[in-house]
Amino acid sequence: MKFVIQRVHKSAVLVHGQTIGAIEKGLLVLVGIQRGDTKEDARWMSRKVLDMRIFEDADGKMNRSVRDVNGALLLVPNFTLYADASKGNRPGFSEAEKPTKARKLYRTLVQQLTERTKLTVETGEFGADMDVSLVNDGPVTIILEK
């Protein structure tokens, strides 16, 4: 499982021109699910994203989590995080989980995050062609992989 976590002032995801998820201050999380990922991996990743201290404290140090700042989460499924472009010019996606299994694990991840926190948890749409916008804060971008 791989996350690209971006600290944002705001972010939104649109499908067919309609906003389906939007947050203000918080984290935009692009979610890649690899073949063989498990519910335990999702549990570890959900805990990590909630507790990761990447927001600034009063001294300007990254010492506060998304929970500490009462932020929000926007999770966007993104199988292209497992693209392999090492050969040729067209990436392959053989490391990405099959859609049926990946969709189920993505839903599990969203459920785990929703159960672990009272923060707003918004989502993109699995399998959809999405337009994602963000105003990056920092910029702070962290790649987390389990």
Side-chain angles (χ1 to χ4, degrees), residues 17-28:
Q18 299 293 320
T19 301
I20 63 166
I23 62 169
E24 294 297 321
K25 181 178 188 159
L27 299 174
L28 166 63

Side-chain angles (χ1 to χ4, degrees), residues 19-83:
T19 301
I20 63 166
I23 62 169
E24 294 297 321
K25 181 178 188 159
L27 299 174
L28 166 63
V29 182
L30 302 178
V31 178
I33 298 174
Q34 186 177 30
R35 286 184 184 260
D37 281 343
T38 66
K39 288 182 182 180
E40 290 74 31
D41 295 326
R43 187 175 299 115
W44 187 89
M45 294 289 274
S46 67
R47 182 191 57 77
K48 194 74 167 174
V49 76
L50 289 172
D51 295 337
M52 189 177 296
R53 298 183 316 180
I54 58 175
F55 289 87
E56 294 178 355
D57 63 15
D59 296 325
K61 295 189 184 224
M62 287 198 287
N63 233 356
R64 302 182 77 205
S65 71
V66 68
R67 290 190 224 222
D68 295 334
V69 299
N70 198 31
L73 299 164
L74 176 56
L75 292 120
V76 178
N78 188 336
F79 80 96
T80 65
L81 293 180
Y82 281 103

Side-chain angles (χ1 to χ4, degrees), residues 114-126:
T114 302
E115 290 172 356
R116 286 183 163 201
T117 184
K118 294 182 181 185
L119 300 178
T120 298
V121 178
E122 297 279 321
T123 65
E125 183 178 324
F126 195 95

Side-chain angles (χ1 to χ4, degrees), residues 33 96-108 126-127:
I33 298 174
E97 184 57 270
K98 301 226 181 270
T100 303
K101 289 182 180 179
R103 178 179 283 114
K104 185 175 180 180
L105 196 51
Y106 174 73
R107 287 180 183 153
T108 297
F126 195 95

